[in-house]
Amino acid sequence: MNDANPIDLLFGGMEKLGPGSNADTLKMLDRLPRPPEGTIVDAGCGTGRQTLALANRLRLPIQAVDAYAPFLADLARRANEAGMAHLIQTHCMDMADIPHRFREIDLLWSEGAAYNIGFPHALETWYPALKPQGFAVVSELAWLRAEAPATARRFFRTGYPQMRHIDENRSLAEAAGYHILDTHTLPDETWVEGYYDILEPRAKALLTHPEEAVRDFAAETLEEIRIFGCSEGSYGYVFYVLRKA
Ligand SMILES: C[S@@+](CC[C@H](N)C(=O)[O-])C[C@H]1O[C@@H](n2cnc3c(N)ncnc32)[C@H](O)[C@@H]1O
């Protein structure tokens, strides 16, 4: 591990790399009208909190896809410790290449990761890899109201300019050919517990790091946490539970 890599310094060893919880993951799984079977892919699995929760519940193999090898190594170690190594297959690859590697996917899961290739692009790219009536459960940051505090608008204008309103994301999913079975917004505490409450002290400690890139990343993270604290519920992480039409 490179000690000066801002990603490793800030996120190293963390069980979750974005807002979320096992309770919410399993709640989404329960909203599928039938149990998934066959090929299940977790796109942008990170260190695999949700991968392990899904594998533990389904007792089926999960194809865990991420572009960052150290996160996959962490997942493999956790799977081993949990006695689930036989259920987790890791693939270090670009999630945009999923249709080239996997066919007839029955469940494509992706928490807090699709934005990396663009939410609409991800939905369009993964569609042909799903089998007919197969499911995609994808979470994405979204505006939840028409109005938002000016500080939040300003932050995301540079932080995530593509961020859309929840209704626009619903329309995009339908335009990509999916039937929307449900949506669910993650509760605020899933941003804090095991995520911001770990990141905040780490980021504060890194503000004096000798490398500028590390200091900048730490400062951005602290600003993100501050903005969340005064967001007044104007944005959130939304799950879209989708079925291939
Ligand atoms: C915010 S993290 C979310 C990880 C995990 N799903 C969670 O909720 O804890 C986003 C993940 O997407 C991965 N990622 C980013 N771009 C990717 C790409 N093009 N293909 C595959 N994985 C990617 C990152 O390495 C990271 O693990």
Side-chain angles (χ1 to χ4, degrees), residues 1 7-17 46-48 68 70-71 73-75 77-78 81 194 198-199 202:
M1 191 182 277
I7 301 279
D8 291 339
L9 284 171
L10 210 57
F11 293 102
M14 282 177 71
E15 257 177 63
K16 59 190 226 188
L17 302 175
T47 51
Y68 194 55
F71 288 159
D74 212 357
L75 167 56
R77 182 183 54 76
R78 283 176 213 276
E81 283 168 6
I198 295 179
L199 281 181
R202 281 190 185 189

Side-chain angles (χ1 to χ4, degrees), residues 194-221:
Y195 187 53
Y196 280 169
D197 62 2
I198 295 179
L199 281 181
E200 190 168 26
R202 281 190 185 189
K204 279 185 181 156
L206 290 172
L207 285 175
T208 52
H209 194 277
E211 300 227 357
E212 189 182 0
V214 175
R215 290 196 302 275
D216 288 351
F217 193 47
E220 266 170 49
T221 303

